[in-house]
PDB file of all heavy atoms in Angstrom:
ATOM      1  N   GLY G1196      -8.342 -10.947   5.891  1.00  0.00           N
ATOM      2  CA  GLY G1196      -8.025 -10.658   7.285  1.00  0.00           C
ATOM      3  C   GLY G1196      -6.748  -9.875   7.432  1.00  0.00           C
ATOM      4  O   GLY G1196      -5.741 -10.191   6.787  1.00  0.00           O
ATOM      5  N   HIS G1197      -6.800  -8.855   8.258  1.00  0.00           N
ATOM      6  CA  HIS G1197      -5.608  -8.063   8.561  1.00  0.00           C
ATOM      7  C   HIS G1197      -5.070  -8.465   9.938  1.00  0.00           C
ATOM      8  O   HIS G1197      -5.827  -8.666  10.887  1.00  0.00           O
ATOM      9  CB  HIS G1197      -5.968  -6.565   8.573  1.00  0.00           C
ATOM     10  CG  HIS G1197      -4.858  -5.696   9.053  1.00  0.00           C
ATOM     11  ND1 HIS G1197      -4.826  -5.150  10.318  1.00  0.00           N
ATOM     12  CD2 HIS G1197      -3.732  -5.267   8.441  1.00  0.00           C
ATOM     13  CE1 HIS G1197      -3.732  -4.424  10.454  1.00  0.00           C
ATOM     14  NE2 HIS G1197      -3.029  -4.485   9.321  1.00  0.00           N
ATOM     15  N   ASP G1198      -3.757  -8.610  10.042  1.00  0.00           N
ATOM     16  CA  ASP G1198      -3.134  -8.834  11.359  1.00  0.00           C
ATOM     17  C   ASP G1198      -3.732 -10.081  12.012  1.00  0.00           C
ATOM     18  O   ASP G1198      -3.726 -11.153  11.421  1.00  0.00           O
ATOM     19  CB  ASP G1198      -3.331  -7.559  12.198  1.00  0.00           C
ATOM     20  CG  ASP G1198      -2.552  -7.538  13.500  1.00  0.00           C
ATOM     21  OD1 ASP G1198      -1.345  -7.244  13.458  1.00  0.00           O
ATOM     22  OD2 ASP G1198      -3.166  -7.796  14.548  1.00  0.00           O
ATOM     23  N   ARG G1199      -4.285  -9.984  13.229  1.00  0.00           N
ATOM     24  CA  ARG G1199      -4.861 -11.150  13.911  1.00  0.00           C
ATOM     25  C   ARG G1199      -5.972 -11.782  13.077  1.00  0.00           C
ATOM     26  O   ARG G1199      -6.130 -12.998  13.041  1.00  0.00           O
ATOM     27  CB  ARG G1199      -5.423 -10.782  15.288  1.00  0.00           C
ATOM     28  CG  ARG G1199      -4.549  -9.937  16.181  1.00  0.00           C
ATOM     29  CD  ARG G1199      -3.124 -10.444  16.282  1.00  0.00           C
ATOM     30  NE  ARG G1199      -3.063 -11.725  16.996  1.00  0.00           N
ATOM     31  CZ  ARG G1199      -1.938 -12.442  17.134  1.00  0.00           C
ATOM     32  NH1 ARG G1199      -0.800 -12.040  16.563  1.00  0.00           N
ATOM     33  NH2 ARG G1199      -1.939 -13.568  17.805  1.00  0.00           N
ATOM     34  N   GLY G1200      -6.746 -10.926  12.417  1.00  0.00           N
ATOM     35  CA  GLY G1200      -7.820 -11.434  11.572  1.00  0.00           C
ATOM     36  C   GLY G1200      -7.298 -12.265  10.422  1.00  0.00           C
ATOM     37  O   GLY G1200      -7.956 -13.205   9.963  1.00  0.00           O
ATOM     38  N   GLY G1201      -6.091 -11.953   9.945  1.00  0.00           N
ATOM     39  CA  GLY G1201      -5.465 -12.747   8.913  1.00  0.00           C
ATOM     40  C   GLY G1201      -5.097 -14.129   9.418  1.00  0.00           C
ATOM     41  O   GLY G1201      -5.200 -15.127   8.696  1.00  0.00           O
ATOM     42  N   ARG G1202      -4.731 -14.224  10.667  1.00  0.00           N
ATOM     43  CA  ARG G1202      -4.361 -15.514  11.268  1.00  0.00           C
ATOM     44  C   ARG G1202      -5.618 -16.389  11.477  1.00  0.00           C
ATOM     45  O   ARG G1202      -5.598 -17.587  11.296  1.00  0.00           O
ATOM     46  CB  ARG G1202      -3.585 -15.299  12.574  1.00  0.00           C
ATOM     47  CG  ARG G1202      -2.356 -14.454  12.323  1.00  0.00           C
ATOM     48  CD  ARG G1202      -1.434 -14.283  13.498  1.00  0.00           C
ATOM     49  NE  ARG G1202      -0.471 -13.245  13.150  1.00  0.00           N
ATOM     50  CZ  ARG G1202       0.542 -13.396  12.298  1.00  0.00           C
ATOM     51  NH1 ARG G1202       0.731 -14.578  11.713  1.00  0.00           N
ATOM     52  NH2 ARG G1202       1.357 -12.396  12.004  1.00  0.00           N
ATOM     53  N   VAL G1203      -6.693 -15.721  11.862  1.00  0.00           N
ATOM     54  CA  VAL G1203      -7.969 -16.430  11.975  1.00  0.00           C
ATOM     55  C   VAL G1203      -8.422 -16.899  10.589  1.00  0.00           C
ATOM     56  O   VAL G1203      -8.871 -18.055  10.421  1.00  0.00           O
ATOM     57  CB  VAL G1203      -9.056 -15.514  12.593  1.00  0.00           C
ATOM     58  CG1 VAL G1203     -10.423 -16.204  12.565  1.00  0.00           C
ATOM     59  CG2 VAL G1203      -8.683 -15.139  14.034  1.00  0.00           C
ATOM     60  N   ALA G1204      -8.271 -16.055   9.598  1.00  0.00           N
ATOM     61  CA  ALA G1204      -8.674 -16.415   8.234  1.00  0.00           C
ATOM     62  C   ALA G1204      -7.841 -17.574   7.689  1.00  0.00           C
ATOM     63  O   ALA G1204      -8.349 -18.467   7.005  1.00  0.00           O
ATOM     64  CB  ALA G1204      -8.544 -15.187   7.314  1.00  0.00           C
ATOM     65  N   HIS G1205      -6.547 -17.567   7.992  1.00  0.00           N
ATOM     66  CA  HIS G1205      -5.673 -18.660   7.552  1.00  0.00           C
ATOM     67  C   HIS G1205      -6.110 -19.994   8.169  1.00  0.00           C
ATOM     68  O   HIS G1205      -6.223 -21.012   7.485  1.00  0.00           O
ATOM     69  CB  HIS G1205      -4.219 -18.354   7.945  1.00  0.00           C
ATOM     70  CG  HIS G1205      -3.244 -19.381   7.515  1.00  0.00           C
ATOM     71  ND1 HIS G1205      -2.048 -19.597   8.182  1.00  0.00           N
ATOM     72  CD2 HIS G1205      -3.259 -20.304   6.514  1.00  0.00           C
ATOM     73  CE1 HIS G1205      -1.387 -20.565   7.587  1.00  0.00           C
ATOM     74  NE2 HIS G1205      -2.098 -21.022   6.577  1.00  0.00           N
ATOM     75  N   ARG G1206      -6.401 -19.978   9.460  1.00  0.00           N
ATOM     76  CA  ARG G1206      -6.856 -21.202  10.106  1.00  0.00           C
ATOM     77  C   ARG G1206      -8.225 -21.628   9.576  1.00  0.00           C
ATOM     78  O   ARG G1206      -8.493 -22.822   9.391  1.00  0.00           O
ATOM     79  CB  ARG G1206      -6.909 -20.977  11.628  1.00  0.00           C
ATOM     80  CG  ARG G1206      -7.514 -22.088  12.463  1.00  0.00           C
ATOM     81  CD  ARG G1206      -6.997 -23.462  12.122  1.00  0.00           C
ATOM     82  NE  ARG G1206      -5.570 -23.605  12.269  1.00  0.00           N
ATOM     83  CZ  ARG G1206      -4.903 -24.707  11.874  1.00  0.00           C
ATOM     84  NH1 ARG G1206      -5.557 -25.735  11.348  1.00  0.00           N
ATOM     85  NH2 ARG G1206      -3.593 -24.784  12.007  1.00  0.00           N
ATOM     86  N   MET G1207      -9.083 -20.677   9.275  1.00  0.00           N
ATOM     87  CA  MET G1207     -10.395 -20.969   8.703  1.00  0.00           C
ATOM     88  C   MET G1207     -10.228 -21.685   7.360  1.00  0.00           C
ATOM     89  O   MET G1207     -10.940 -22.664   7.091  1.00  0.00           O
ATOM     90  CB  MET G1207     -11.172 -19.653   8.499  1.00  0.00           C
ATOM     91  CG  MET G1207     -12.640 -19.822   8.259  1.00  0.00           C
ATOM     92  SD  MET G1207     -13.442 -18.224   7.897  1.00  0.00           S
ATOM     93  CE  MET G1207     -12.785 -17.189   9.199  1.00  0.00           C
ATOM     94  N   ALA G1208      -9.306 -21.215   6.547  1.00  0.00           N
ATOM     95  CA  ALA G1208      -9.072 -21.839   5.245  1.00  0.00           C
ATOM     96  C   ALA G1208      -8.553 -23.250   5.395  1.00  0.00           C
ATOM     97  O   ALA G1208      -8.841 -24.131   4.579  1.00  0.00           O
ATOM     98  CB  ALA G1208      -8.094 -20.991   4.435  1.00  0.00           C
TER      99      ALA G1208
END
Side-chain angles (χ1 to χ4, degrees):
H1197 172 258
D1198 189 79
R1199 313 311 293 174
R1202 303 186 191 287
V1203 174
H1205 181 207
R1206 174 46 59 186
M1207 195 185 312

